[in-house]
């Protein structure tokens, strides 16, 4: 039997103090790592956002306006910021016994016009099937027409979910789900998304905040893969297939 | 004018204390970084060996015999050892003003039956043409038939030289060139390589030592790309196109 692959996104705002000083939330990472470790071999791929590590650097060097000789220094500086966060996430998982390994999109992926075009997913697929948990992240990625661009964790989630044929896709965030006028929207489809008034994130986020996230997940829904957005406190529920009180994005 | 791309391999034995305690040679790395920095925008790709970081781990977990559920833990452990060395090499270069960025083959490449099959070289090409120096290394790489395997820095050099159409390929080592009965062999071709008596490295090296290196370089020569093997003290001469007193491998 081929076990289904699960994808778990850890929002940038839950692994770092996004609004504030730019620190990594090591205590929360350890708690998340314990919940994942307790569930054993999970056939799990983890993707985390950049949060306060990487977004400020990407803004300072105007990566999203394209990269040339003038602002090329921003590539390595932005990448080092998010790669450092990735090492902390991997270290937290390994400390709890999860056989995790970091995979940097700058090395593995290529983009054009701000859209992720390719990713070395065959290696990721093999790692997962051996019981190893690859940990990817939002990153600066080389881009054929723009020089380089920022690829969000949400874009990576969508690409990998389709490339790996994922069975379950979950996005853990610092809110209980997608909110419309203060209430969790239990189900979102492309048909009724226009009726929702979803606010933009007030924090530094060069990748589009909640609206960008939902657009990626609707594309995923178009290809028949359901995704779940829930509060970080419900990661265990998501992994166990239980009710998480959040939002399901489906076709 | 498109400037030619140069590839420089830093042997594992010159960046680490390969025979001994397993340390990284930070003083030598700093000296090499200064020589590279002094030459400005170099259109340079650097690949370093694993030396004492990675080879012992790869041997302990018998990575070269294939990887399955029994020894899968060796993948992340071996990778972390060489990725740590890579961070030191990148940090040494950046400290001297080289805009370097680490690229890990585990993320970027795929292999079959111990041979490197693919690598995300489009991103590496774009980085170099922006004046950024990608720094790769010998690494554990996922392998279709073996699960995973060790890909040497020499294999990566050969693959990238061909994929990027490199103009000059240099391998800096701890010996003055390829030695035959104590004397440097100035030129090696496939025709007269059988007459040479080249010894194996006495140190821990799961990737074939000097014989493996020459086999990769002869394949490169077959495709019309010359390569140079010289002592680490002649890196500046190689970069400047001067006489390095070592060995040239050609068709």
């Amino acid at each position: 039997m081929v076990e289904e692959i699960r994808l778990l996104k850890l929002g940038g705002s839950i692994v770092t103090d996004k609004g504030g000083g730019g620190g990594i939330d090591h205590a929360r990472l350890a708690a998340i790592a314990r919940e994942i470790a307790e569930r054993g071999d999970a056939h799990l791929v983890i993707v985390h956002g950049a949060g306060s590590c990487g977004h400020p650097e990407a803004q300072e060097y105007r990566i999203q306006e394209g990269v040339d000789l003038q602002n090329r220094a921003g590539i390595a500086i932005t990448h080092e910021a998010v790669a450092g966060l990735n090492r902390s996430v991997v270290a937290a998982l390994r400390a709890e016994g999860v056989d995790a390994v970091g995979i940097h999109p700058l090395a593995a992926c290529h983009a054009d016009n701000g859209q992720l075009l390719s990713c070395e997913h065959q290696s990721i697929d093999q790692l997962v099937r051996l019981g190893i948990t690859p940990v990817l992240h939002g990153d600066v990625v080389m881009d054929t027409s723009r020089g380089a661009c920022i690829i969000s964790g949400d874009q990576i989630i969508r690409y990998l979910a389709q490339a790996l044929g994922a069975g379950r896709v979950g996005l853990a965030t610092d809110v209980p789900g997608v909110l419309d006028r203060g209430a969790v929207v239990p189900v979102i489809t492309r048909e009724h998304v226009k009726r929702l008034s979803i606010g933009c994130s007030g924090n530094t986020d060069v990748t589009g905040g909640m609206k960008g996230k939902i657009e990626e997940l609707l594309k995923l829904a178009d290809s028949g893969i359901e995704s779940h957005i829930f509060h970080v406190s419900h990661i265990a529920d998501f992994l166990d297939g239980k009710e998480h009180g959040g939002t399901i994005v489906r076709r």
Side-chain angles (χ1 to χ4, degrees), chain A residues 13-210:
Chain A
S13 56
I14 66 172
V15 293
T16 69
D17 176 20
K18 202 173 182 180
I24 296 171
D25 193 337
H26 293 283
R28 181 173 261 163
L29 280 176
I32 293 170
R34 268 192 299 279
E35 291 187 317
I36 292 169
E38 281 166 6
R39 277 149 188 88
D41 270 6
H43 285 76
L44 187 66
V45 178
I46 294 175
V47 180
H48 62 81
S52 58
C53 305
H55 282 297
E57 291 82 359
Q59 283 199 321
E60 184 189 343
Y61 286 91
R62 302 173 179 272
I63 302 284
Q64 288 302 59
E65 297 171 22
V67 176
D68 58 19
L69 294 175
Q70 302 309 310
N71 63 341
R72 73 176 190 203
I75 292 177
I77 289 171
T78 303
H79 175 67
E80 290 214 337
V82 290
L85 172 60
N86 182 254
R87 284 197 293 280
S88 290
V89 176
V90 169
L93 288 162
R94 294 186 65 79
E96 297 295 333
V98 179
D99 193 352
V101 70
I103 297 289
H104 303 316
L106 174 62
C109 305
H110 202 82
D112 187 33
N113 208 21
Q115 296 298 309
L116 187 57
L117 279 192
S118 67
C119 193
E120 178 41 71
H121 60 266
Q122 201 183 342
S123 296
I124 295 167
D125 188 73
Q126 276 194 278
L127 285 165
V128 176
R129 296 198 186 282
L130 272 175
I132 298 168
T133 300
V135 185
L136 293 91
H137 53 88
D139 199 358
V140 57
V141 166
M142 301 311 288
D143 182 301
T144 305
S145 49
R146 296 184 186 177
C149 68
I150 300 296
I151 294 294
S152 69
D154 298 317
Q155 268 206 58
I156 294 167
I157 282 280
R158 174 170 68 86
Y159 183 96
L160 288 182
Q162 293 173 330
L164 304 176
R168 287 172 69 77
V169 174
L171 289 84
T173 71
D174 59 354
V175 289
V178 178
L179 301 178
D180 182 27
R181 298 172 189 90
V184 172
V185 184
V187 175
I188 289 184
T189 66
R190 201 173 273 286
E191 284 68 42
H192 75 278
V193 71
K194 295 176 197 103
R195 278 179 276 134
L196 302 174
S197 60
I198 297 155
C200 274
S201 164
N203 295 319
T204 301
D205 190 333
V206 294
T207 59
M210 189 59 91

Side-chain angles (χ1 to χ4, degrees), chain A residues 208-226:
Chain A
M210 189 59 91
K211 281 185 177 176
K213 192 187 301 296
I214 291 171
E215 189 45 46
E216 292 300 327
L217 298 180
L218 284 170
K219 289 178 192 167
L220 199 52
D222 291 342
S223 64
I225 300 174
E226 233 178 55

